[in-house]
Amino acid sequence: MVNETQHTCSASSSSKSDGGSSSGSESSKDSSRCSTPVLDADRHERLREKMRRRQDSGDKWFSLEFFPPRTANAAVNLISRFDRMGTGGPLFIDVTWHPAGDPGSDKETSSMIIANTAVNYCGLETILHMTCCNQTKDDITGHLQKAKRLGLKNIMALRGDPVGEEWEEEVDGFNYAVDLVKHIRNEFDDYFDICVAGYPKGHPEAESYEADLRHLKEKVLAGADFIITQLFFRSETFLKFMKDCQAIGITCPIIPGIFPIQGYHSLRQLVKLSKLEVPQEIKDVIEPIKDNDAAIRNYGVELAVSMCRELLDSGMVHGLHFYTLNREVATTEVLKRLGIWKEDPRRPLPWAVSAHPKRRVEDVRPIFWASRPKSYIYRTQEWDDFPNGRWGNSSSPAFGELKDYYLFYLKSKSPREELLKMWGEELTGEESVFEVFTCYITGEPNRNGHKVTCMPWNDDPLATETNLLKEQLEKVNRRGILTINSQPNINGKPSTDPIVGWGPSGGYVFQKAYLEFFTSSEIVTALLKVLKKYELRVNYHIVNVKGQNITNAPDLQPNAVTWGIFPGREIIQPTVVDPVSFLSWKDEAFALWIEQWAKLYEEESPSRMIIQYIHDNYYLVNLVDNDFPLENCLWQVVDDTFELLN
Amino acid sequence: MVNETQHTCSASSSSKSDGGSSSGSESSKDSSRCSTPVLDADRHERLREKMRRRQDSGDKWFSLEFFPPRTANAAVNLISRFDRMGTGGPLFIDVTWHPAGDPGSDKETSSMIIANTAVNYCGLETILHMTCCNQTKDDITGHLQKAKRLGLKNIMALRGDPVGEEWEEEVDGFNYAVDLVKHIRNEFDDYFDICVAGYPKGHPEAESYEADLRHLKEKVLAGADFIITQLFFRSETFLKFMKDCQAIGITCPIIPGIFPIQGYHSLRQLVKLSKLEVPQEIKDVIEPIKDNDAAIRNYGVELAVSMCRELLDSGMVHGLHFYTLNREVATTEVLKRLGIWKEDPRRPLPWAVSAHPKRRVEDVRPIFWASRPKSYIYRTQEWDDFPNGRWGNSSSPAFGELKDYYLFYLKSKSPREELLKMWGEELTGEESVFEVFTCYITGEPNRNGHKVTCMPWNDDPLATETNLLKEQLEKVNRRGILTINSQPNINGKPSTDPIVGWGPSGGYVFQKAYLEFFTSSEIVTALLKVLKKYELRVNYHIVNVKGQNITNAPDLQPNAVTWGIFPGREIIQPTVVDPVSFLSWKDEAFALWIEQWAKLYEEESPSRMIIQYIHDNYYLVNLVDNDFPLENCLWQVVDDTFELLN
């Protein structure tokens, strides 16, 4: 496609034939390019622009609704669900507002904090619901300010359910969603994208269907950017509603709310709340199978798929909004059958990108937090600038303090008993620790028959990429090189490679081999002798808990270990080994021995003392093989070290 | 080598066993790393530090002295000499101060401007001489301020020769070099590195050798950083002088001034000026051959080599300073025979780095000025920040205006008659222009038997790298694709590659294939059709003199076309195709048709009208093949275009 760029110079700034022509000094002023290479345009667009672009390109999309959980444990599970369902490529998720659950508070189960986690830690475009009735202007403004501060950019403006039976309009108060829409636009100008609710059958309290349509139009005129509808049971219901909206001049996107029936009770409860009528043909199917959850879910999926197909086939619908009820299976199934679940989600960068607007230029991180990305985001949340292009350009990296809170929050998926089964009820020596590491790598059960599916430094089973190194990793862990992070070298694989690829297609990705491990001072002594032979080829950083630090890195320079070359772009180098950040990571990595592992055991117990001994005496080592086009030499380095010790 | 970095953490900032340890936020504050990847440490060091580092490493060095030329033409030649002799790797050059020649003025032959050119355009560490007698404090301060503004960092502080026979000390004036040294330190603190002169035989006006040594010590105590000596004829003279200096406590570096005898008359004149005695054994050789310049020069080289060897062998001498008399052959010969001329000068970056301290972080430039680096430096001299790491990070590039002055200055090496012989006394059509381009590429003489050794866009014969593409370039130029810039694709050659290598050893360099040319609108129309087939692979920018601009570059993003991966460093990407800068370059590239070529002919003459037609109607095109690991497809693009036209 031949584009005339926006930048096209007018003839007035062109060269004059006397050669003394004015040059780019004016023409460059109107340059609107951004300072980051826009690997994914998405990162720089607001939600309404993304929606518009998808509509223009004919690319169908979906979104997912969740409600805040009741317990901290449920929150941890919900966040894992965000991560998993995020891989399917929702355009956004939304989090409902629970007036009864202190929704604007800092509690880890509040609507505000769940939405914050979705944006910042899971990298999801997120809409936070907000209801206005029975709240003061100051309360509302406070919530909105907080949402803005946390990086939330989208609000679903709702009236909410009045408290008590008798509801009276308050003068100057928030009586309807439209008041909230106006308030947001008054106080925050165009900062938020605003969504409002539409009722395909009319709001149950509205005088009439027509009156309700007029209310909806008022909300749009007050500044709403798009509409999500209440659930409905027949596609005709929605399509008629949409035509009626258009007929009275509502032109913004209207997104159908899809409710896959997942069980008899949840359906009944929803019907009661929404005051909707379930069509007879559905009742006829469900009633006879009401005690068979699987059968109902299968029917619900079937029904949702066929209704969604009708909607998409109508040509009027570009996106589908799913009421998930915080469940995964039914919705995922519907999306997969519709073919709009992204089977091969392209990664814009090798690590999960945060959706906070402050971080939109961020494109390089230290490799150390590769398995703890949420910790990295948490510890850098106060940064004003994120490194973009070059790590060294960022101001000196001041990492937020390590707090117990964070060491555990989002981390305690496995209860203590589970961890003890994996990591050993009783340790008999350093070798028992080696064994735990080895079992984690191999996936084999430990001597008590339990698989080791996580480690203090790795919340999840081994990454696919690390699997490439499995055999060597097993060998070295057995002998006390306790690996916590590694990557193979890659010399120009296509950016679409299913394992190591990232970024837009048509590019090439590269990596330097990396290995990070804890090991004893005895092994470190031998290792240092061996490393002399590899002086120019291998960069190393070796540090103990006290901060004794041995390195051959020149001038504290970061070493780029992952980079990509793309058509028409500058080089992207998303991962570096940064000597300065390594010292912050060191504190965290050593602390995890104690906080996650040692504290499983009684004080003064032999098991606890073994972990404490490792914490106090081992070194944390990282190695980079700079010769990425050659065979990875780090295994040879380790072999040479063991040989020297023998 | 195992280095304990300066950054080594003290135990106080280490992890506490309760896991709530403080982390990098303090330890990173004392980080002293710089924000640029220090590919060559030299760029960040002042001259005295470079000297110290060379002395510590035992790496012998040399420096070169020049005097300002009398005519603009001689200035152009001298600057070419700087470029050529710069490749041998001098630690610095110095430019003498000619009080009679308005040395601090803006004339292109002044000491100030020659030194400015050496630093900024030739990238040479430069010492500007400055004399103080018969000058007011304000004059001197003005010169120093100007030198600082131009990026000069080193001053050779001299007294200079008094005017007239009778010389009287001025009260409060500058009577001796030591007054100038003090003044520089008073007014400019530690900004400048200061050099002073030493006289191995004593200054001719000094009361005694010993008194002169005491004066020298005063100059050092006043703040001089090192000493360069007057010439001498025997190594013993220097070695004795050096010991005497040390004996009275002069500890700074003392650099012997070497004068290779190059001719009878220049020797006699120098002896007269310096009031030195030529030893009898030298006179005995020279007198009989005084009319044979070649013989004298051979003898001079011989003599200099053997004296330099004695100096270096003494172990007391680390660097040698050469009085070149603005000549090249003798000094280069001596240096080559001594083995300290760098035969394979490593390029820190693919383009010549400017030595202005403001530009020390600069590590990326648009490819367009590859053959006109001095123009690029000139047009960006007002920039406050230079791009470092990423082009897009730099502020919007506002290029200085194109001035006639610069279009010609440093450019007019060939006189008009010479250019007419190369480019045609009379053009008969566009084809005559094609022929000129073709002859420049092939190196074959044109139809009148003259070789085309330069073009308006290329001051020098074809670069070695471009030779790699010669055959294809010839073919396309013959048919009206008039190439002015190109590079082959490179997929990971060692950074030490003699043709395409740059940067420190142990790295790998990469390039995307690039082709830039002028061509007719007919060819552009066909080209655009062909480019549709290469949409994702080839990025293009096509612009005419009026600024009509056709491109498929996404979002005005720059495209990195040269990059390097080095041990322990971030990625360096020194060359980009920047869509915004291209429009400034377009003005310059089109103006050169008129200013350099059309104006060779009479107004209204057919030849001039042909060039004017091309200027008004042709397009400037650049193409990048993003698929650097595959065979360059740009030739196929051009072939397809010609085929479409047939």
Side-chain angles (χ1 to χ4, degrees):
Chain A
M1 204 174 65
V2 178
N3 304 318
E4 296 265 321
T5 65
Q6 286 183 286
H7 188 77
T8 303
C9 274
S10 68
S12 67
S13 77
S14 72
S15 175
K16 294 165 208 133
S17 58
D18 66 354
S21 65
S22 71
S23 72
S25 53
E26 301 90 354
S27 57
S28 59
K29 270 183 205 132
D30 58 313
S31 157
S32 62
R33 66 177 168 185
C34 47
S35 67
T36 185
V38 201
L39 272 178
D40 47 327
D42 266 18
R43 254 167 109 180
H44 295 264
E45 283 176 336
R46 38 199 308 173
L47 181 51
R48 63 192 185 203
E49 290 162 0
K50 292 184 194 181
M51 235 175 245
R52 180 77 52 198
R53 202 158 53 86
R54 293 288 193 104
Q55 179 167 337
D56 292 347
S57 69
D59 194 10
K60 306 300 181 201
W61 54 265
F62 67 94
S63 51
L64 304 168
E65 182 163 316
F66 299 93
F67 55 80
R70 292 191 186 198
T71 65
N73 217 41
V76 170
N77 287 331
L78 181 61
I79 292 159
S80 307
R81 183 156 293 143
F82 287 171
D83 284 338
R84 283 192 303 273
M85 295 190 83
T87 64
L91 189 68
F92 63 86
I93 70 150
D94 58 328
V95 177
T96 61
W97 187 255
H98 272 206
D102 204 355
S105 75
D106 286 335
K107 281 199 291 193
E108 53 205 18
T109 54
S110 78
S111 300
M112 186 73 80
I113 294 305
I114 292 294
N116 165 56
T117 303
V119 167
N120 289 295
Y121 297 102
C122 306
L124 297 168
E125 179 81 50
T126 301
I127 303 179
L128 175 62
H129 290 218
M130 209 171 273
T131 61
C132 61
C133 81
N134 301 313
Q135 293 204 73
T136 67
K137 263 192 185 164
D138 285 353
D139 285 345
I140 298 274
T141 303
H143 292 324
L144 289 164
Q145 279 166 340
K146 183 168 182 176
K148 183 175 173 183
R149 208 166 54 241
L150 294 176
L152 291 159
K153 295 168 295 181
N154 314 294
I155 299 291
M156 172 111 178
L158 299 164
R159 186 190 74 179
D161 296 315
V163 178
E165 290 296 303
E166 293 296 306
W167 175 62
E168 282 178 30
E169 289 196 17
E170 286 176 56
V171 183
D172 286 339
F174 291 104
N175 297 306
Y176 298 101
V178 68
D179 301 325
L180 179 52
V181 175
K182 285 177 186 163
H183 178 73
I184 297 173
R185 284 286 173 250
N186 278 341
E187 299 286 315
F188 295 86
D189 204 21
D190 202 35
Y191 179 79
F192 290 104
D193 278 16
I194 302 175
C195 174
V196 291
Y199 299 87
K201 289 275 198 185
H203 191 279
E205 291 169 21
E207 309 104 81
S208 68
Y209 176 75
E210 289 70 27
D212 196 49
L213 280 182
R214 284 194 301 274
H215 289 315
L216 182 57
K217 187 169 179 188
E218 276 170 36
K219 291 195 278 189
V220 174
L221 288 176
D225 296 296
F226 52 93
I227 296 162
I228 295 177
T229 76
Q230 179 59 287
L231 66 96
F232 50 89
F233 294 101
R234 292 178 183 132
S235 58
E236 309 90 82
T237 311
F238 176 82
L239 295 173
K240 173 180 184 302
F241 171 71
M242 192 150 179
K243 279 174 202 147
D244 293 338
C245 285
Q246 288 171 344
I248 66 160
I250 295 174
T251 56
C252 71
I254 304 175
I255 304 140
I258 310 296
F259 176 77
I261 297 170
Q262 304 194 47
Y264 186 75
H265 292 289
S266 60
L267 175 64
R268 269 185 60 145
Q269 201 189 352
L270 195 89
V271 163
K272 192 176 142 206
L273 279 173
S274 61
K275 297 178 179 139
L276 287 174
E277 187 81 25
V278 178
Q280 192 58 45
E281 71 266 22
I282 296 181
K283 283 189 191 157
D284 287 348
V285 178
I286 283 185
E287 286 293 342
I289 55 171
K290 67 179 179 185
D291 295 322
N292 185 340
D293 281 356
I296 291 194
R297 201 173 59 206
N298 288 343
Y299 172 68
V301 166
E302 214 50 69
L303 202 64
V305 167
S306 80
M307 190 172 77
C308 290
R309 287 221 174 101
E310 285 163 22
L311 291 170
L312 295 173
D313 290 347
S314 75
M316 297 171 71
V317 171
H318 306 279
L320 300 165
H321 184 72
F322 285 84
Y323 295 104
T324 68
L325 303 184
N326 285 14
R327 295 187 201 155
E328 218 167 322
V329 180
T331 300
T332 309
E333 175 75 13
V334 172
L335 289 166
K336 285 183 175 170
R337 287 182 51 188
L338 290 171
I340 56 177
W341 178 268
K342 276 204 289 181
E343 281 304 324
D344 173 28
R346 302 285 312 128
R347 299 185 296 170
L349 286 169
W351 32 263
V353 173
S354 173
H356 194 294
K358 244 185 14 175
R359 299 184 92 112
R360 66 173 50 167
V361 300
E362 179 181 26
D363 70 9
V364 41
R365 291 186 183 173
I367 195 170
F368 317 120
W369 281 270
S371 299
R372 288 176 62 81
K374 294 187 175 74
S375 164
Y376 181 76
I377 292 166
Y378 179 82
R379 294 188 65 188
T380 60
Q381 63 187 345
E382 301 301 331
W383 287 11
D384 292 323
D385 295 305
F386 288 91
N388 159 243
R390 179 164 283 168
W391 177 263
N393 268 349
S394 74
S395 48
S396 220
F399 287 88
E401 273 189 32
L402 265 184
K403 286 184 189 145
D404 285 359
Y405 169 73
Y406 188 66
L407 277 169
F408 291 110
Y409 180 52
L410 310 180
K411 278 291 299 175
S412 47
K413 271 194 294 190
S414 308
R416 180 170 177 274
E417 304 72 49
E418 195 59 41
L419 295 176
L420 282 172
K421 278 182 192 159
M422 291 198 275
W423 302 344
E425 305 275 354
E426 214 183 312
L427 303 174
T428 53
E430 292 165 64
E431 285 71 20
S432 351
V433 173
F434 301 176
E435 213 177 289
V436 175
F437 275 85
T438 309
C439 288
Y440 174 70
I441 297 290
T442 59
E444 302 289 318
N446 64 17
R447 64 178 58 192
N448 299 316
H450 293 282
K451 288 205 178 186
V452 182
T453 57
C454 67
M455 291 292 283
W457 307 269
N458 297 280
D459 223 17
D460 299 301
L462 222 53
T464 331
E465 189 193 16
T466 316
N467 262 313
L468 301 175
L469 310 169
K470 206 160 167 174
E471 206 175 306
Q472 285 104 330
L473 286 171
E474 178 188 347
K475 206 169 81 179
V476 305
N477 275 283
R478 259 186 220 296
R479 300 190 60 180
I481 297 241
L482 307 176
T483 59
I484 59 170
N485 196 355
S486 58
Q487 69 175 25
N489 57 320
I490 301 292
N491 186 16
K493 287 221 178 174
S495 59
T496 47
D497 184 276
I499 296 176
V500 298
W502 52 272
S505 59
Y508 295 91
V509 298
F510 294 79
Q511 290 179 180
K512 291 179 179 176
Y514 179 75
L515 192 60
E516 184 181 337
F517 53 86
F518 290 101
T519 201
S520 68
S521 66
E522 189 197 1
I523 291 182
V524 162
T525 307
L527 178 66
L528 280 169
K529 283 192 191 123
V530 169
L531 283 170
K532 281 188 185 151
K533 281 197 302 179
Y534 294 86
E535 185 57 35
L536 274 172
R537 181 160 177 183
V538 177
N539 278 112
Y540 54 86
H541 296 87
I542 303 176
V543 63
N544 66 4
V545 74
K546 298 182 208 73
Q548 197 199 339
N549 187 22
I550 310 165
T551 179
N552 67 345
D555 315 304
L556 297 178
Q557 292 286 311
N559 191 352
V561 292
T562 304
W563 64 100
I565 317 295
F566 299 95
R569 308 286 181 187
E570 297 192 71
I571 315 294
I572 316 294
Q573 51 161 32
T575 335
V576 295
V577 169
D578 172 42
V580 180
S581 307
F582 185 58
L583 298 179
S584 292
W585 165 246
K586 175 265 298 179
D587 290 340
E588 183 168 333
F590 275 103
L592 287 163
W593 279 109
I594 303 299
E595 296 302 314
Q596 298 264 327
W597 198 336
K599 289 190 175 172
L600 294 177
Y601 309 107
E602 296 294 315
E603 277 190 63
E604 311 281 327
S605 67
S607 296
R608 184 148 176 176
M609 284 166 70
I610 287 164
I611 301 295
Q612 184 74 50
Y613 175 83
I614 290 177
H615 170 271
D616 294 348
N617 293 284
Y618 272 37
Y619 284 79
L620 180 62
V621 176
N622 75 52
L623 303 177
V624 176
D625 177 4
N626 287 298
D627 259 335
F628 62 95
L630 311 181
E631 202 189 337
N632 179 357
C633 75
L634 300 181
W635 306 115
Q636 192 60 49
V637 168
V638 174
D639 282 350
D640 291 359
T641 303
F642 285 133
E643 200 166 302
L644 191 67
L645 282 167
N646 283 352
Chain B
M1 204 174 66
V2 178
N3 304 318
E4 297 264 326
T5 66
Q6 288 181 288
H7 189 77
T8 303
C9 272
S10 68
S12 66
S13 77
S14 72
S15 176
K16 295 166 207 134
S17 57
D18 67 353
S21 65
S22 71
S23 72
S25 55
E26 301 91 354
S27 56
S28 59
K29 269 182 208 135
D30 57 313
S31 157
S32 62
R33 67 178 165 180
C34 46
S35 67
T36 185
V38 201
L39 272 177
D40 47 327
D42 267 18
R43 254 167 110 179
H44 295 265
E45 283 176 336
R46 38 199 307 171
L47 180 52
R48 63 191 185 206
E49 290 162 2
K50 293 184 195 181
M51 236 175 245
R52 180 76 52 199
R53 201 157 53 88
R54 294 287 195 105
Q55 178 167 336
D56 292 347
S57 68
D59 194 11
K60 305 301 182 202
W61 54 266
F62 68 94
S63 52
L64 305 169
E65 182 163 315
F66 299 94
F67 54 80
R70 292 192 186 196
T71 65
N73 218 41
V76 171
N77 287 331
L78 181 61
I79 291 159
S80 304
R81 183 156 293 142
F82 287 171
D83 283 338
R84 284 193 302 274
M85 295 189 81
T87 64
L91 190 66
F92 62 87
I93 70 149
D94 59 327
V95 177
T96 61
W97 187 255
H98 273 206
D102 204 356
S105 75
D106 287 334
K107 283 199 291 192
E108 54 204 18
T109 55
S110 77
S111 300
M112 186 72 81
I113 295 303
I114 293 295
N116 165 55
T117 303
V119 166
N120 288 294
Y121 297 101
C122 306
L124 296 167
E125 180 82 50
T126 301
I127 304 180
L128 175 63
H129 290 219
M130 209 170 273
T131 62
C132 60
C133 80
N134 300 315
Q135 294 204 73
T136 67
K137 264 194 182 160
D138 284 353
D139 286 344
I140 298 275
T141 302
H143 292 324
L144 288 164
Q145 278 166 342
K146 183 169 182 175
K148 183 175 172 183
R149 207 166 53 240
L150 295 175
L152 291 159
K153 296 169 295 182
N154 315 293
I155 300 291
M156 173 110 178
L158 298 164
R159 187 191 72 180
D161 297 315
V163 179
E165 290 296 300
E166 295 295 307
W167 175 63
E168 283 180 27
E169 289 195 17
E170 288 177 54
V171 183
D172 285 338
F174 292 104
N175 298 305
Y176 298 101
V178 68
D179 301 323
L180 180 53
V181 175
K182 285 178 186 162
H183 179 72
I184 298 173
R185 284 285 174 252
N186 278 341
E187 300 286 316
F188 295 86
D189 202 21
D190 201 36
Y191 179 80
F192 290 105
D193 278 16
I194 301 175
C195 174
V196 292
Y199 299 87
K201 289 278 198 184
H203 191 279
E205 291 169 20
E207 309 105 80
S208 68
Y209 176 76
E210 289 71 26
D212 195 49
L213 279 182
R214 284 195 300 275
H215 289 315
L216 183 59
K217 187 170 179 185
E218 277 170 35
K219 291 195 278 190
V220 174
L221 289 176
D225 296 295
F226 51 94
I227 297 162
I228 294 177
T229 78
Q230 179 57 287
L231 65 95
F232 50 88
F233 295 100
R234 292 178 183 132
S235 58
E236 310 89 83
T237 310
F238 176 82
L239 295 172
K240 173 181 182 303
F241 171 71
M242 189 145 180
K243 280 173 200 144
D244 293 338
C245 286
Q246 288 170 346
I248 65 161
I250 296 174
T251 56
C252 71
I254 305 175
I255 304 139
I258 310 296
F259 176 77
I261 298 170
Q262 305 195 49
Y264 186 74
H265 294 287
S266 60
L267 176 64
R268 269 185 58 149
Q269 202 190 352
L270 195 89
V271 164
K272 193 177 141 203
L273 279 171
S274 62
K275 296 176 179 143
L276 288 174
E277 189 80 27
V278 179
Q280 193 57 44
E281 70 268 22
I282 295 181
K283 282 187 192 160
D284 288 347
V285 177
I286 282 183
E287 285 293 340
I289 55 169
K290 69 179 174 184
D291 297 322
N292 184 340
D293 282 357
I296 291 193
R297 201 174 59 206
N298 287 343
Y299 171 68
V301 166
E302 214 48 71
L303 201 65
V305 168
S306 81
M307 190 173 78
C308 289
R309 286 222 173 100
E310 287 163 22
L311 291 170
L312 295 173
D313 289 349
S314 74
M316 296 171 73
V317 171
H318 305 278
L320 302 165
H321 184 73
F322 285 82
Y323 295 105
T324 67
L325 303 183
N326 286 15
R327 295 186 201 154
E328 216 168 323
V329 181
T331 300
T332 309
E333 174 74 15
V334 172
L335 288 166
K336 286 183 175 170
R337 287 181 50 186
L338 290 170
I340 56 178
W341 179 269
K342 277 203 287 179
E343 282 304 323
D344 173 30
R346 303 284 316 126
R347 299 184 296 169
L349 287 170
W351 32 263
V353 173
S354 173
H356 195 296
K358 246 189 6 180
R359 299 184 92 111
R360 67 174 48 167
V361 300
E362 180 182 27
D363 69 10
V364 41
R365 291 185 185 175
I367 195 170
F368 317 120
W369 283 268
S371 299
R372 288 175 62 79
K374 293 187 176 75
S375 165
Y376 180 76
I377 293 165
Y378 178 83
R379 295 188 63 186
T380 61
Q381 63 188 341
E382 301 301 330
W383 288 11
D384 292 325
D385 295 305
F386 287 90
N388 160 243
R390 178 164 285 170
W391 177 263
N393 268 347
S394 74
S395 48
S396 220
F399 288 88
E401 274 188 33
L402 266 185
K403 286 182 191 147
D404 286 359
Y405 168 76
Y406 187 67
L407 278 169
F408 292 110
Y409 180 53
L410 309 179
K411 278 291 298 174
S412 49
K413 269 194 292 189
S414 309
R416 180 168 177 275
E417 304 73 47
E418 194 60 44
L419 295 175
L420 282 171
K421 279 182 191 157
M422 291 198 277
W423 303 343
E425 305 276 354
E426 215 183 310
L427 303 175
T428 53
E430 291 166 64
E431 284 72 21
S432 348
V433 174
F434 301 177
E435 212 178 288
V436 175
F437 275 85
T438 309
C439 290
Y440 173 72
I441 296 291
T442 60
E444 303 289 318
N446 63 18
R447 63 179 59 191
N448 299 315
H450 293 282
K451 289 204 178 187
V452 181
T453 57
C454 68
M455 292 292 284
W457 307 269
N458 297 279
D459 223 17
D460 299 301
L462 224 53
T464 331
E465 190 193 12
T466 316
N467 262 311
L468 301 175
L469 309 170
K470 206 161 166 174
E471 208 175 303
Q472 285 105 330
L473 287 172
E474 180 189 344
K475 208 170 79 180
V476 305
N477 276 281
R478 256 185 223 296
R479 302 190 59 180
I481 296 242
L482 307 176
T483 60
I484 60 170
N485 196 356
S486 58
Q487 69 175 22
N489 57 321
I490 301 291
N491 186 16
K493 286 219 177 175
S495 59
T496 48
D497 183 276
I499 297 176
V500 298
W502 53 272
S505 58
Y508 295 91
V509 297
F510 294 79
Q511 291 179 180
K512 291 179 179 176
Y514 179 75
L515 192 60
E516 183 181 338
F517 52 86
F518 289 101
T519 202
S520 67
S521 65
E522 189 198 0
I523 291 182
V524 163
T525 307
L527 177 65
L528 280 169
K529 282 193 192 122
V530 168
L531 283 169
K532 282 187 186 154
K533 280 199 303 182
Y534 295 85
E535 186 57 34
L536 274 172
R537 180 159 179 186
V538 176
N539 278 112
Y540 55 85
H541 297 87
I542 302 177
V543 64
N544 66 4
V545 73
K546 298 182 208 75
Q548 197 201 337
N549 188 21
I550 309 165
T551 179
N552 67 345
D555 315 305
L556 297 178
Q557 292 287 309
N559 191 351
V561 292
T562 304
W563 63 100
I565 317 295
F566 299 96
R569 308 286 180 186
E570 297 192 70
I571 315 295
I572 317 293
Q573 51 161 34
T575 336
V576 295
V577 169
D578 171 43
V580 180
S581 307
F582 185 57
L583 298 179
S584 293
W585 165 246
K586 175 265 296 181
D587 290 339
E588 185 168 332
F590 276 102
L592 288 163
W593 281 107
I594 304 299
E595 296 303 313
Q596 299 264 325
W597 199 335
K599 289 191 174 172
L600 295 177
Y601 309 108
E602 297 293 314
E603 277 189 61
E604 310 282 329
S605 67
S607 296
R608 184 146 173 180
M609 284 165 70
I610 287 163
I611 301 296
Q612 184 75 50
Y613 175 83
I614 289 177
H615 170 271
D616 295 347
N617 292 284
Y618 272 37
Y619 284 79
L620 181 62
V621 176
N622 76 51
L623 303 177
V624 176
D625 176 5
N626 288 299
D627 259 335
F628 62 96
L630 311 182
E631 202 188 337
N632 178 355
C633 75
L634 300 182
W635 305 115
Q636 192 59 48
V637 169
V638 174
D639 282 351
D640 291 358
T641 304
F642 286 134
E643 200 166 301
L644 190 66
L645 283 167
N646 284 349

